[in-house]
Amino acid sequence: MLREATIYSENLSPRDSEWLHLLLGDWQIIADAAHGDLVLWLPQNIEPPHQFMSVAQVRPSTVHTLFHRDMVNKAMYEDLIPHAEKAWLHKTVEKFSHVLPETGTRTNTCMVPLVREERVIALLTVHTELFDARIPPKVELMCQKFSMDLLQMVTRGAWPEFTAPVGSSRGNPRVSDGVITLDAEGKVLFASPNAASTYKRLGLEEELEDTRLVDKTRELIPCSEKADETLPLVLTGRMPWRGEVRANNTSVTFRAIPFRRPTALGEERYGAVLLCRDVTELRRRELEMMTKDATIREIHHRVKNNLQTVSALLRLQSRRMHTEEAKQGLEEAMRRVATIALVHETLSQGLTQSVDFDELIQRQFRFAAELASPGQEVRTVLEGTFGELPSQFATPLALIINEIVANAVEHGLAGQAGTVTLRGERGHNKAHEDTLKITITDDGIGMGDRSIPASDNAGSLTISNDEGLGMQIVRTLVASELNGSIRWRSAEPRGTEVIIDAVLIDAGA
């Protein structure tokens, strides 16, 4: 509905720009209530005659738009400029009829100067279709009236208010959801059909009009339901806040907009408009999602516990082995199971199915080096960044790093003190796919004259029987799970460097 360009003008202070952005965040309410298109204009020169350029527009969601083409970054129509100059110089709202040149549609146009600190900073135009013979229904007349009340506050810079909190929950009400107008005492002057239906779902049997809304709402809220302490201020229209009511298995959100006018003593509140919306289904879906998230986290937690149990059983079994080869095999299996358990532990602590791999690998990297050769002095260095990774990549990548680091410690350093460095680099390939480059380097004895063939996702599953289990695991996971390639080369001045290029393609996308 909203289209805007960058708001900038030499005439605007930072505070003015901030207020204009607040207005753009809320002016959909005016467009929907007025049943018209809104355009924001800024002057291109300080001294008159002014040249105005449109910087934002919003279309109504309650009726069809009058502007079928985008209006942003367009110069003001020539026949609007005299009215704009008058509104700018005299700080008055100008109303007139205007024919749109693109469509020939005759419109009612309202030119509203936006005044802050006794100076005009911008102009706002409201364009509504002109119907000569049509008698508008009551709900339309009431919405147009409250849109003009809002515009009167907008022209003084009194709405939107800087002190009004911004709603963070989903389901903020809109004009089309339901409108209730109140007098200064909180008595209902008018309730739209949608608002009346919403209160029927809350359990109200009588009509809303001529009743005090806060009293009727209190009667509907069950004693077991803890009501928000600020709700009376919302339902009487005293404060520009939001609230929510739960009754009769129905949830309704409210937003209050107090109407104020200037007096000799300052601003006087003379009424308010309440927007209301039935969010029962929305809250039900949110509860379902929360339940699903909790269930998934619990599953990851239990899988982690089960894997840790398996790892402990393997450790116990290895102590009963009499041959060194059997002990080593079980210890390697224990290490692999523990690596998978660590990923599930990380997933059990978050709300998303992605892993902060930098935090995970920081623990796992050192853990893998220590398990590979207990008592050996091995320094680990972590460089670069891995970022957030989906769980389907995190588990195989952790296993791959575990195997390569263990191999570097056991065979590369070969019992000597040394350093293993792990580096991650995120990027994109020519197909604009997310990529990850993993480099693992040791400063051990190196490869010498030995060469290890590289592999990619096309041919890496052809594995030599001469390779150990760890190498077979690495090649298989790189090809099938990371859609990548792996290669070995000598490092300078000494040691071995393993490079993995992975393509992070989500198979479930």
Side-chain angles (χ1 to χ4, degrees):
M1 296 296 177
L2 173 64
R3 170 85 164 88
E4 70 174 279
T6 302
I7 296 180
Y8 170 77
S9 172
E10 295 179 359
N11 191 44
L12 297 178
S13 68
R15 190 73 168 169
D16 295 333
S17 296
E18 185 181 354
W19 181 80
L20 285 177
H21 280 292
L22 277 179
L23 175 61
L24 297 187
D26 269 339
W27 70 342
Q28 184 72 56
I29 295 174
I30 303 176
D32 291 344
H35 290 189
D37 296 79
L38 272 61
V39 182
L40 181 66
W41 308 88
L42 288 181
Q44 300 303 292
N45 52 313
I46 298 177
E47 299 297 329
H50 295 102
Q51 298 295 321
F52 295 95
M53 185 71 69
S54 59
V55 294
Q57 77 171 114
V58 65
R59 295 182 169 92
S61 60
T62 48
V63 293
H64 64 82
T65 181
L66 297 177
F67 296 111
H68 300 286
R69 293 184 180 180
D70 195 280
M71 287 293 295
V72 176
N73 291 328
K74 292 187 181 298
M76 183 179 283
Y77 298 126
E78 289 291 334
D79 54 344
L80 294 185
I81 293 179
H83 301 284
E85 288 287 359
K86 189 175 180 181
W88 187 279
L89 294 175
H90 299 290
K91 303 176 185 176
T92 57
V93 176
E94 299 293 319
K95 297 181 180 180
F96 52 93
S97 63
H98 167 64
V99 178
L100 296 177
E102 290 91 350
T103 61
T105 304
R106 179 169 293 277
T107 68
N108 282 321
T109 303
C110 184
M111 184 79 67
V112 182
L114 306 184
V115 183
R116 287 183 56 79
E117 298 177 353
E118 302 299 323
R119 61 190 180 87
V120 182
I121 62 170
L123 294 175
L124 180 70
T125 53
V126 183
H127 306 264
T128 58
E129 192 166 359
L130 181 61
F131 296 102
D132 295 327
R134 188 177 73 93
I135 300 176
K138 182 179 179 181
V139 63
E140 185 176 332
L141 291 174
M142 294 303 296
C143 285
Q144 289 177 353
K145 180 182 182 304
F146 102 67
S147 71
M148 291 307 301
D149 289 333
L150 283 180
L151 286 172
Q152 288 295 333
M153 292 194 294
V154 168
T155 191
R156 306 193 312 273
W159 187 84
E161 301 179 44
F162 280 109
T163 57
V166 178
S168 58
S169 63
R170 296 172 61 204
N172 288 326
R174 304 156 297 190
V175 171
S176 57
D177 296 318
V179 175
I180 301 173
T181 57
L182 307 173
D183 64 11
E185 302 303 320
K187 188 177 180 180
V188 177
L189 300 175
F190 170 78
S192 70
N194 284 346
S197 297
T198 297
Y199 260 86
K200 292 291 183 183
R201 289 190 287 274
L202 283 173
L204 183 68
E205 297 298 333
E206 56 191 287
E207 297 298 325
L208 274 175
E209 294 181 5
D210 296 325
T211 65
R212 198 164 182 271
L213 188 67
V214 65
D215 295 335
K216 290 298 177 183
T217 307
R218 278 194 185 124
E219 295 173 4
L220 299 173
I221 300 175
C223 298
S224 58
E225 186 71 38
K226 185 179 179 181
D228 187 352
E229 294 179 356
T230 64
L231 192 60
L233 297 176
V234 175
L235 296 178
T236 54
R238 296 181 182 276
M239 298 300 294
W241 294 345
R242 292 169 169 84
E244 186 164 336
V245 171
R246 296 180 182 87
N248 198 32
N249 296 320
T250 302
S251 296
V252 176
T253 57
F254 292 89
R255 179 183 178 180
I257 304 176
F259 291 145
R260 296 187 174 91
R261 57 193 170 201
T263 65
L265 300 177
E267 293 278 328
E268 174 192 48
R269 186 180 62 85
Y270 64 93
V273 63
L274 282 182
L275 305 180
C276 59
R277 179 181 180 183
D278 186 343
V279 293
T280 307
E281 187 62 24
L282 181 62
R283 295 292 180 258
R284 186 187 66 81
R285 290 199 298 267
E286 288 177 348
L287 181 60
E288 282 185 355
M289 291 301 297
M290 290 175 61
T291 304
K292 288 179 181 177
D293 287 340
T295 302
I296 291 171
R297 290 199 303 273
E298 179 62 21
I299 290 172
H300 283 302
H301 180 73
R302 294 189 182 189
V303 169
K304 182 264 297 185
N305 288 344
N306 291 338
L307 289 173
Q308 287 180 336
T309 301
V310 172
S311 181
L313 291 174
L314 290 173
R315 185 183 298 109
L316 290 173
Q317 187 67 37
S318 69
R319 291 172 181 172
R320 292 176 173 269
M321 294 294 101
H322 300 291
T323 64
E324 192 62 32
E325 184 179 359
K327 285 185 177 182
Q328 184 178 356
L330 287 173
E331 287 174 357
E332 288 179 356
M334 177 194 70
R335 186 176 66 233
R336 290 160 186 152
V337 171
T339 299
I340 300 173
L342 189 59
V343 176
H344 282 282
E345 180 183 12
T346 304
L347 289 169
S348 70
Q349 297 170 355
L351 291 174
T352 63
Q353 290 301 294
S354 60
V355 177
D356 183 351
F357 202 78
D358 294 296
E359 181 181 344
L360 169 68
I361 204 62
Q362 192 168 14
R363 294 178 291 164
Q364 177 62 26
F365 184 27
R366 184 65 192 172
F367 177 65
E370 289 176 351
L371 281 183
S373 186
Q376 185 176 336
E377 186 180 343
V378 178
R379 178 171 171 261
T380 55
V381 178
L382 183 61
E383 299 177 345
T385 180
F386 291 84
E388 291 276 339
L389 293 180
S391 58
Q392 66 263 33
F393 297 118
T395 300
L397 183 56
L399 281 171
I400 291 168
I401 293 174
N402 178 79
E403 294 296 333
I404 296 176
V405 170
N407 186 72
V409 172
E410 293 174 6
H411 304 291
L413 299 182
Q416 303 298 316
T419 301
V420 180
T421 303
L422 171 64
R423 180 175 181 80
E425 298 176 67
R426 293 294 290 266
H428 297 86
N429 59 17
K430 294 181 179 179
H432 305 289
E433 297 167 327
D434 288 333
T435 60
L436 175 62
K437 182 178 181 179
I438 307 103
T439 307
I440 302 172
T441 309
D442 67 72
D443 58 358
I445 61 176
M447 298 172 62
D449 296 332
R450 183 188 176 206
S451 64
I452 304 175
S455 62
D456 56 31
N457 56 0
S460 60
L461 294 181
T462 305
I463 301 171
S464 171
N465 292 328
D466 296 332
E467 292 182 346
L469 178 60
M471 181 77 77
Q472 294 182 18
I473 290 174
V474 167
R475 287 187 185 274
T476 302
L477 290 178
V478 167
S480 61
E481 301 296 331
L482 299 186
N483 314 295
S485 61
I486 182 170
R487 61 188 186 275
W488 289 259
R489 68 185 184 188
S490 296
E492 295 295 337
R494 56 177 296 185
T496 305
E497 185 175 68
V498 183
I499 302 170
I500 301 168
D501 292 301
V503 182
L504 305 181
I505 301 175
D506 188 352

